[in-house]
Amino acid sequence: GEAAKRLGIPKVVGKLVTGMLLGNIYFLSGWDFFDFLRIMPFLKILADFGALILLLNVGLNMDTRAMLKAGVSAVLVALGAIIAPAGLGFLVGHFLLPDATLGTKVLLSIILCASSMGIKAKVLEELNALNTLEGRIVIGASFLADVVTLLVFGVACGIITKGSIHVLGVIATTGIIAFFLSAIIITSLIYSEGLGEFITRRVPEGLKLSIIAAVCLLLAFLAESIGMHAVIGAFGAGLLFQNVRLRDSDGRQYGIEWIVRPAYMILVPILFVWAGAQVRWEIFLDINTVFLGLA
């Protein structure tokens, strides 16, 4: 991370490259010590918690009203983030994968729309740009694009595998997702200050973190249950608990982000190193794969 910073690039890139190097030590030297980065289930769990804590922290520091003011721009950016990679990806698939089925080309184009909210959020945080106009547009557009991409991916998979689509099911899923997101945003706008005041003053210190952790995990579970990424639920929890304060033994108050910082500093780097380790260098031995990837 520090090496990347000295080169003038985000520290998260250094962590990803570290994971790519360690995860491919066997490919380079035949030494399999670092294979646990790919195959250890517990490390995957730690990485998942790192993603939740990262987006919880983003939610804690995000100005919801200011983000909504950037709504039109975020929608336009989200459309661009879907149309451009999907359209260009389909063209690449059409010309470079002439023998592939139409379904394969469609799925390739949809997959190219998927992005990492975690990496975007981390880069914006390092640039101190989370609460700039551009940062709010990027975060808002990323959520919208990810939701639309997941919905379209589900529809495409249904058509390709079953040859049909349940229109009512798609409408119902879209409605549930819209309700979930709207409920979180409206609740945070109306009740965030009152909720923060109530928890800060009325809830015992020993229970505050437990309540926040439980709500964060519940919202993450609900988000994933309806077809979204779990981190969207964690982001929503951050919006809800922005105004909660915890006291130390001397009576000094701290925000939630200061209390979760030790876990943040440990788990978030694990997330990015683990993500980098999933890249397998041996796939680049196939010249067609390299050419397709560059295209």
Side-chain angles (χ1 to χ4, degrees):
E2 290 301 319
K5 183 179 179 180
R6 290 178 181 275
L7 292 173
I9 56 179
K11 293 168 71 173
V12 64
V13 176
K15 295 165 187 174
L16 288 166
V17 171
T18 298
M20 292 173 64
L21 291 172
L22 294 179
N24 289 278
I25 288 290
Y26 180 80
F27 176 74
L28 297 172
S29 65
W31 189 37
D32 62 359
F33 177 80
F34 287 103
D35 279 3
F36 74 91
L37 288 174
R38 290 179 177 173
I39 63 176
M40 183 184 286
F42 180 64
L43 200 64
K44 171 68 165 61
I45 293 172
L46 292 180
D48 287 340
F49 274 106
L52 294 178
I53 288 179
L54 174 59
L55 268 296
L56 172 68
N57 192 69
V58 172
L60 289 170
N61 291 282
M62 182 61 64
D63 186 333
T64 310
R65 287 181 173 81
M67 186 173 69
L68 290 177
K69 289 179 181 178
V72 175
S73 297
V75 170
L76 293 175
V77 172
L79 288 174
I82 295 170
I83 295 171
L88 295 172
F90 188 82
L91 288 176
V92 168
H94 177 72
F95 288 109
L96 296 186
L97 299 171
D99 298 327
T101 64
L102 177 62
T104 299
K105 296 171 184 176
V106 169
L107 288 180
L108 172 64
S109 64
I110 296 173
I111 288 170
L112 288 172
C113 299
S115 62
S116 171
M117 271 297 302
I119 292 177
K120 289 179 182 177
K122 185 62 178 171
V123 170
L124 288 170
E125 184 183 57
E126 289 182 18
L127 295 172
N128 293 318
L130 270 177
N131 267 318
T132 62
L133 175 61
E134 293 82 0
R136 296 181 194 116
I137 291 173
V138 169
I139 293 296
S142 297
F143 278 121
L144 292 173
D146 282 356
V147 169
V148 173
T149 299
L150 287 169
L151 283 172
V152 174
F153 184 77
V155 170
C157 286
I159 294 174
I160 292 168
T161 57
K162 300 177 182 177
S164 62
I165 180 176
H166 296 289
V167 177
L168 290 178
V170 174
I171 294 174
T173 301
T174 304
I176 292 171
I177 290 174
F179 173 79
F180 179 79
L181 294 174
S182 301
I184 288 178
I185 292 173
I186 293 172
T187 302
S188 66
L189 284 172
I190 299 175
Y191 299 110
S192 176
E193 291 186 11
L195 181 64
E197 186 75 12
F198 176 81
I199 294 177
T200 299
R201 292 180 177 273
R202 301 292 183 86
V203 176
E205 292 300 318
L207 282 178
K208 289 178 181 178
L209 273 181
S210 300
I211 291 172
I212 292 166
V215 173
C216 179
L217 292 174
L218 175 62
L219 291 178
F221 170 75
L222 291 175
E224 197 158 80
S225 297
I226 61 177
M228 295 189 297
H229 199 289
V231 298
I232 295 179
F235 177 78
L239 296 179
L240 291 174
F241 295 121
Q242 285 180 341
N243 297 291
V244 175
R245 296 291 180 267
L246 291 91
R247 296 185 182 89
D248 62 14
S249 57
D250 296 322
R252 290 173 295 192
Q253 291 190 350
Y254 298 91
I256 300 298
E257 60 269 23
W258 285 100
I259 306 302
V260 301
R261 189 166 180 79
Y264 180 95
M265 295 176 69
I266 295 170
L267 295 177
V268 173
I270 289 176
L271 163 67
F272 293 121
V273 172
W274 174 85
Q278 305 312 305
V279 178
R280 295 180 178 272
W281 286 5
E282 56 264 32
I283 65 173
F284 298 111
L285 295 176
D286 183 347
I287 189 63
N288 292 322
T289 300
V290 173
F291 191 44
L292 179 67
L294 290 173

